[in-house]
Amino acid sequence: MKFIAYNVRDDEIPFIEKWGKDHQIEVAYTTTTLTPETIEEAKGYDGISGLQTIAYTKELFIAFRKLGIKYLALRNVGVDNLDLQAAADNGVKITNVPAYSPESIAEFAVTMALFLSRKVGYMQQQLRQKQEFHFSPDFMGRLISEQTVGIVGTGRIGQHAIRLFKGLGAKVIAYDKYPIKDTHGEFHYTTSFQDLVRQSDIISLHMPATPDNYHEFNHETFELMKNTALFINTARGSIVDTADLIFALQSGEIAGAGIDTIENESADLQDSRSTKQVTDADVIKLSMMPNVLITPHSAFHTTRSVMNMVNISMDHLKAMVEGKPVSDIVD
C-alpha cells in the first residue's frame, strides 16, 4: 500500500511524513497540481490525496482509470470543482474533509469583521500613501456589539461564527435553505434571504458553492444591503459576482468587504513556493481599497487545520484501500 499527495504545501510536509511513519505506509508528495498530465507521477500508487481549487476534470478521471487508481481523498471541504459524474463513470471513489477545523474559518471571519469595523484599512492607507500616521475622525469605527450580524449558512462553520459574534455582544440572525431544528436560543432564522440581507450590518457567508447559489450576491443583492454594511466571504468565490462587488464598494452601496476567496482562483494561489506576482486585475483593484481586506484563501490556515486535513485525508485512503467504511464519501 502506498499513496501520493499532490499540491503539497511546505506546512503540510511534516504531517504527511509523520502519518506515513506512524502507519508504516509509503507516502510520496509533490508540489504540482493534479492534472491529466501530472497524474503520471501517481503510476503505481494505490490512492491520491488532493488539494486544489482548479477543476478535477473528466479527462483527469479517465486518466485515473487508465492508471488503475480508484481512490481520491481531498484534503479540503469543497467539491464544487469536481466532475462527480466522470468520477463515478471511471470507478473513482472520492472523500473530503468536511470538518477539519470549523473554528479556524469562523475566527478568521470575525477577524475580518473587526478589521473592517474599526477601519484599520484606512489607517494603513494613510501611512502608506502619505507617510503620515495620526488620529483622524474618519477612522471612527463601530463596536460589534452595536451591530446585527447575518450568517448565511448554519453548518459547522456558521454555528461557530454565531457563537463568536454572540460572544462579542452582536445580535445574530441567520438564513439557511436547510435550517437546523434547535438553535439553542443562540440566534433566529429570518423569514427569507432578502430579509437577512436588508437587516444585517455585517453579512458573513458560510455555505458551500452550488449551482443554485452561483452569483447569489450580485448587483441586486448589494442594492438591498445597508450602505453601512460589511460583507465577509470566507466560503466560495463563485457565490459572489466580483464585478458587482467592486461596483458596490466603489459606489457606496456597501461600506466594506472581507474577501478570502474570489472567483477563478489560480493554481498559484495554493502553491506555497510560488514567487509569481499577482496579475489578476480584480484582486489588484480590491487590494487598493482601504475598505477591503483581501487574503489568499487562508481562513482555514492554522496548525490544527493543516494537521487534520492531512491526517483525515490519509486515513480515508487507507480505509478505502482496506475496504473499510468511510463516512465522508462524496457522491
Side-chain angles (χ1 to χ4, degrees):
M1 186 186 305
K2 58 180 184 177
F3 306 132
I4 182 170
Y6 277 79
N7 205 35
V8 169
R9 302 185 312 270
D10 291 343
D11 53 55
E12 296 179 295
I13 292 173
F15 298 111
I16 290 172
E17 292 179 340
K18 184 178 186 303
W19 187 93
K21 183 179 180 180
D22 289 348
H23 293 84
Q24 297 185 330
I25 293 174
E26 179 185 340
V27 183
Y29 52 83
T30 175
T31 60
T32 58
T33 304
L34 183 58
T35 68
E37 293 73 35
T38 62
I39 195 175
E40 289 298 322
E41 293 184 53
K43 186 175 182 179
Y45 287 88
D46 298 297
I48 294 174
S49 171
L51 173 66
Q52 62 195 49
T53 55
I54 68 169
Y56 296 88
T57 63
K58 177 181 179 180
E59 291 73 23
L60 177 61
F61 290 118
I62 291 172
F64 265 78
R65 177 173 52 79
K66 290 179 179 178
L67 291 174
I69 300 173
K70 300 178 180 179
Y71 309 111
L72 170 62
L74 306 182
R75 301 195 299 280
N76 61 295
V77 181
V79 297
D80 52 296
N81 57 337
L82 289 158
D83 188 331
L84 294 176
Q85 186 60 57
D89 291 344
N90 288 281
V92 181
K93 288 186 177 180
I94 302 173
T95 61
N96 69 344
V97 184
Y100 44 80
S101 178
E103 303 92 333
S104 298
I105 298 171
E107 282 188 8
F108 202 79
V110 174
T111 299
M112 285 184 146
L114 287 165
F115 178 99
L116 295 165
S117 290
R118 299 304 300 269
K119 297 192 175 179
V120 178
Y122 290 90
M123 302 176 201
Q124 291 182 325
Q125 184 188 63
Q126 180 196 70
L127 186 59
R128 284 195 304 262
Q129 294 186 352
K130 300 181 180 180
Q131 287 77 53
E132 297 175 0
F133 203 46
H134 56 77
F135 173 81
S136 167
D138 294 333
F139 301 158
M140 186 170 67
R142 295 182 64 188
L143 295 172
I144 296 295
S145 59
E146 295 176 335
Q147 303 183 69
T148 296
V149 177
I151 301 294
V152 186
T154 54
R156 296 179 180 92
I157 299 169
Q159 289 177 52
H160 277 287
I162 287 167
R163 295 185 191 107
L164 291 173
F165 279 116
K166 287 281 288 186
L168 290 170
K171 174 186 175 182
V172 179
I173 57 178
Y175 176 80
D176 197 310
K177 288 184 177 179
Y178 307 99
I180 58 177
K181 292 181 180 179
D182 190 355
T183 65
H184 304 289
E186 293 181 329
F187 65 97
H188 72 270
Y189 286 106
T190 57
T191 55
S192 68
F193 171 74
Q194 289 76 16
D195 191 30
L196 178 138
V197 169
R198 291 189 184 96
Q199 288 188 52
S200 300
D201 298 300
I202 299 171
I203 295 177
S204 189
L205 306 190
H206 299 288
M207 72 278 214
T210 66
D212 290 342
N213 63 29
Y214 177 74
H215 282 185
E216 188 163 31
F217 280 83
N218 52 33
H219 180 62
E220 289 74 20
T221 310
F222 291 124
E223 277 191 319
L224 290 177
M225 292 171 62
K226 298 179 181 180
N227 60 12
T228 55
L230 304 175
F231 176 70
I232 312 292
N233 184 13
T234 57
R236 277 291 183 267
S238 64
I239 300 169
V240 183
D241 185 313
T242 305
D244 288 355
L245 171 63
I246 291 172
F247 179 83
L249 289 161
Q250 291 177 329
S251 65
E253 283 181 349
I254 63 173
I259 306 301
D260 186 54
T261 176
I262 195 167
E263 293 183 277
N264 306 315
E265 292 173 355
S266 69
D268 292 329
L269 189 68
Q270 291 183 336
D271 182 356
S272 62
R273 292 181 172 87
S274 176
T275 57
K276 294 181 180 179
Q277 289 188 319
V278 175
T279 58
D280 186 300
D282 289 336
V283 172
I284 293 171
K285 192 175 293 184
L286 288 164
S287 72
M288 300 296 289
M289 298 181 186
N291 57 339
V292 173
L293 176 58
I294 184 165
T295 52
H297 210 137
S298 56
F300 76 96
H301 201 207
T302 63
T303 303
R304 173 67 63 181
S305 287
V306 175
M307 180 182 70
N308 287 346
M309 290 164 72
V310 169
N311 289 349
I312 295 171
S313 172
M314 293 300 170
D315 287 345
H316 285 163
L317 284 177
K318 181 174 182 291
M320 287 191 289
V321 171
E322 292 175 343
K324 296 178 181 177
V326 180
S327 58
D328 298 321
I329 292 286
V330 177
D331 53 27

